[in-house]
Amino acid sequence: MNIEERNVLTIATISRIVENTLWYCLPKKSQSPFSNEERLTRYKALVELTGEDSPFYINAKNNGERGEHLLEMMKYFIEDCYSEKGRIITADIHGNVVVEESLIVELYSSIVELRSYLESFLKSGIEFLKSKNLAEDLFVNLVNDDIRYFHAFAAKVGSILLVSKFKELNETAKTYTQVYSQTNSVADPKSDPNFNLNNDPSFRMVENEFHTLNQSFVTALNTYGDDDPEFKICRQNIYEDSEIFTGKKHTTDMNKYFEIYTSYFDKILTSSQEKVNDEFLAIGKEVTQFELNLQKEALNNQEENKEDSNEETATKEEDNNESK
């Protein structure tokens, strides 16, 4: 471990917290049991890791308008998700974590966009470390493995959200069709030239959310994996099966179809989650030892400076005595 690696690690740590926020996008029964105390602890960590003297802040400031946008995004992300009274994630009067379900699409999209920026910083950081022969294999592997894990996890979560939003869209269309039929005394509204689902504000809203979600989902899929054969196969399966959303594909068992659709990345997640966790733990131990060594070195320097100062004072006193 060295100072340069430690600086890049702070950005990797921010990325890890952003990654873990994906759990809040899942249905309640699937959400990791984060406590509110843990959430607030992460708030303090993020505030410190993104402060004005942090490597993250300095990198963002050196990236012009793009960096300014990142700083603004990160500020809102921290406040919305991890502050005491977050707009998207907060806690009820009993201290239970509560997620505003109407904002989950926004949350997922923010996570994917933030990670895109952070991964750009991480890749540049690794390239710099390698150019200076300062990159340890453990650290490089950690960054690469975590990027792979994130994209598999974001793909898994994105597929679940997309299926859920697709079902909601169909239900919204069904409800509007039934209301239109009853209101206009039309047995089959689709035969009526005046019938248009886009006339329903609820349908338009859900459809817009579906498209927003899909764009972020595709971003998570396409910004990694071209050199990862296993990931590419999973991605191709997703794209082929996504044709059911446009009507190009059909099934007699929708539940089974979507069960398979949302499971393509499970193997990657199972094989990499523990590996990434172990790598973070190992790096954490190295950082702790590195910090201790820095503290010892600083204390030794203080002692040496103190001794030099005492010797200098003693020499001056001797000179004064001789002159008398």
Side-chain angles (χ1 to χ4, degrees):
M1 180 58 60
N2 50 69
I3 291 176
E4 289 80 3
E5 270 189 330
R6 185 191 61 179
N7 289 342
V8 179
L9 180 62
T10 63
I11 297 176
T13 303
I14 297 169
S15 299
R16 180 71 162 166
I17 297 175
V18 172
E19 171 185 287
N20 282 327
T21 312
L22 281 169
W23 285 105
Y24 293 116
C25 295
L26 292 169
K28 290 182 179 179
K29 63 180 181 180
S30 304
Q31 287 174 7
S32 185
F34 291 139
S35 67
N36 193 47
E37 182 180 356
E38 182 178 7
R39 190 177 68 87
L40 296 178
T41 298
R42 288 181 174 180
Y43 172 77
K44 294 177 182 178
L46 284 171
V47 169
E48 183 177 343
L49 290 167
T50 59
E52 290 191 5
D53 294 327
S54 68
F56 167 82
Y57 185 87
I58 294 169
N59 271 282
K61 277 294 185 181
N62 289 335
N63 275 270
E65 290 184 8
R66 191 166 181 265
E68 290 296 333
H69 176 62
L70 172 58
L71 287 173
E72 185 177 22
M73 270 198 71
M74 183 60 73
K75 175 185 175 183
Y76 284 121
F77 172 79
I78 294 171
E79 292 299 321
D80 288 344
C81 300
Y82 288 102
S83 65
E84 187 172 356
K85 295 182 179 179
R87 184 175 63 94
I88 300 177
I89 307 170
T90 187
D92 60 22
I93 58 174
H94 303 294
N96 300 313
V97 175
V98 178
V99 181
E100 177 51 61
E101 294 186 8
S102 66
L103 298 176
I104 284 178
V105 172
E106 177 186 335
L107 176 59
Y108 179 80
S109 297
S110 296
I111 291 170
V112 171
E113 185 175 357
L114 277 174
R115 276 287 305 212
S116 179
Y117 280 110
L118 292 167
E119 285 177 15
S120 177
F121 283 177
L122 286 171
K123 290 172 183 176
S124 296
I126 291 296
E127 288 178 7
F128 170 79
L129 292 173
K130 286 182 176 179
S131 71
K132 302 295 182 181
N133 293 319
L134 295 172
E136 297 179 20
D137 288 343
L138 175 61
F139 184 67
V140 174
N141 290 338
L142 165 66
V143 171
N144 291 334
D145 291 341
D146 184 59
I147 288 176
R148 183 177 197 249
Y149 176 79
F150 168 76
H151 286 272
F153 190 22
K156 169 76 173 179
V157 174
S159 67
I160 293 172
L161 294 177
L162 207 60
V163 167
S164 176
K165 193 58 65 176
F166 178 69
K167 290 179 178 179
E168 183 183 351
L169 187 62
N170 283 341
E171 284 299 315
T172 305
K174 182 180 178 181
T175 299
Y176 179 70
T177 302
Q178 290 174 344
V179 171
Y180 187 93
S181 175
Q182 294 169 1
T183 304
N184 296 278
S185 301
V186 179
D188 182 11
K190 294 179 182 178
S191 64
D192 185 343
N194 294 319
F195 175 76
N196 189 340
L197 285 172
N198 286 317
N199 289 332
D200 179 23
S202 296
F203 181 85
R204 292 200 306 271
M205 182 188 73
V206 178
E207 186 179 43
N208 286 337
E209 288 179 339
F210 180 87
H211 290 309
T212 299
L213 186 56
N214 186 58
Q215 287 175 353
S216 297
F217 181 46
V218 169
T219 298
L221 289 170
N222 285 351
T223 50
Y224 174 81
D226 289 346
D227 299 321
D228 186 330
E230 186 178 11
F231 190 96
K232 282 180 70 176
I233 291 172
C234 296
R235 181 172 63 192
Q236 187 59 36
N237 288 334
I238 283 286
Y239 283 152
E240 290 176 0
D241 285 359
S242 289
E243 290 184 349
I244 197 168
F245 300 133
T246 60
K248 292 182 180 180
K249 241 182 179 184
H250 302 277
T251 179
T252 56
D253 189 342
M254 192 71 76
N255 290 332
K256 185 64 178 179
Y257 187 94
F258 285 140
E259 182 182 333
I260 295 172
Y261 180 80
T262 58
S263 67
Y264 282 123
F265 288 90
D266 287 359
K267 185 178 179 182
I268 293 178
L269 291 172
T270 300
S271 63
S272 59
Q273 184 174 25
E274 186 175 353
K275 182 181 181 183
V276 173
N277 288 341
D278 289 343
E279 287 170 341
F280 265 104
L281 286 173
I283 284 291
K285 290 178 181 178
E286 282 198 13
V287 171
T288 300
Q289 187 58 53
F290 178 72
E291 297 288 353
L292 288 173
N293 291 339
L294 285 181
Q295 291 175 11
K296 289 179 181 178
E297 185 178 340
L299 287 173
N300 289 336
N301 289 336
Q302 287 180 359
E303 290 297 326
E304 289 176 3
N305 291 336
K306 185 177 180 181
E307 289 177 3
D308 291 342
S309 177
N310 290 338
E311 289 178 3
E312 185 177 344
T313 301
T315 301
K316 287 182 178 179
E317 289 179 353
E318 288 179 3
D319 292 343
N320 290 336
N321 291 333
E322 287 178 3
S323 62
K324 289 179 181 179

